[in-house]
Amino acid sequence: FMIAAQNSVVLMDYTVKDGEGNIIDTSSGHEPLAFIVGLGNIIPGLEREFIGKKKGDAFTVTVKPEDGYGDKDDALVEVVPRAQFAGVKNLGVGMQLQAQTDDDTMVVTVINLTETEVTVDANHPLAGKTLNFDVKVVDVRVASPEEMTHGHVHGVGGHHH
Ligand code: ZN
């Protein structure tokens, strides 16, 4: 079997849990997740663990916030007038919304709500969390020149375009 290294395509099955053992996300029941090693397609604390691994290898990794989605940044929490959300149906705490910035869209989470104001948090929902991954390597292969140009995997577990 091919050994994963920089620029290898890796397909993995994974389950990720928070510090209390609650499942946050899993590929179970879906196709594996595919990424190119070393391009930052996935969080660094997980990515580097695949170097030297091969098809069939299974392992667990604990990823601290600094190697994952970062610490929570209070500057990304903002209070905005509720009038700005006039078009949103059933606005509620925990709701995730797409916000348009100058050249990007970002996802914000509603964390508080009053008659006149809405507090939104643009931190990644997993920021500040230590994550425990159960991972299985489904396949390792060479990235195609086109995949390297695009910076992501095509086909199973990757982009379909
Ligand atoms: Zn592409």
Side-chain angles (χ1 to χ4, degrees):
F1 290 132
M2 183 176 158
I3 304 292
Q6 174 76 30
N7 297 344
S8 299
V9 170
V10 170
L11 279 77
M12 65 159 162
D13 283 330
Y14 70 94
T15 296
V16 54
K17 296 174 186 164
D18 65 16
E20 285 77 53
N22 303 305
I23 293 178
I24 294 169
D25 193 16
T26 178
S27 63
S28 180
H30 307 279
E31 62 183 26
L33 180 71
F35 67 98
I36 303 176
V37 177
L39 299 191
N41 293 165
I42 63 172
I43 53 175
L46 184 58
E47 179 175 54
R48 63 173 174 246
E49 298 297 325
F50 286 92
I51 303 279
K53 298 291 197 297
K54 62 187 187 307
K55 181 176 177 175
D57 286 350
F59 54 98
T60 61
V61 192
T62 297
V63 179
K64 299 240 186 283
E66 59 266 34
D67 287 328
Y69 293 95
D71 287 315
K72 268 198 186 271
D73 181 355
D74 291 339
L76 295 177
V77 176
E78 207 179 348
V79 179
V80 291
R82 187 159 180 154
Q84 286 189 17
F85 295 86
V88 180
K89 280 201 178 97
N90 303 320
L91 190 65
V93 171
M95 182 180 259
Q96 294 194 320
L97 302 161
Q98 298 235 332
Q100 197 74 41
T101 60
D102 289 343
D103 50 10
D104 210 359
T105 53
M106 64 195 311
V107 174
V108 301
T109 306
V110 176
I111 59 169
N112 197 29
L113 205 56
T114 71
E115 292 284 304
T116 54
E117 289 176 333
V118 179
T119 308
V120 293
D121 184 353
N123 283 290
H124 190 282
L126 298 180
K129 294 198 175 181
T130 295
L131 305 170
N132 298 304
F133 286 87
D134 285 315
V135 174
K136 184 165 186 212
V137 180
V138 174
D139 201 9
V140 179
R141 64 171 171 82
V142 176
S144 70
E146 190 188 45
E147 286 173 324
M148 288 306 296
T149 303
H150 288 207
H152 55 231
V153 175
H154 293 158
V156 175
H159 287 240
H160 300 273
H161 66 102

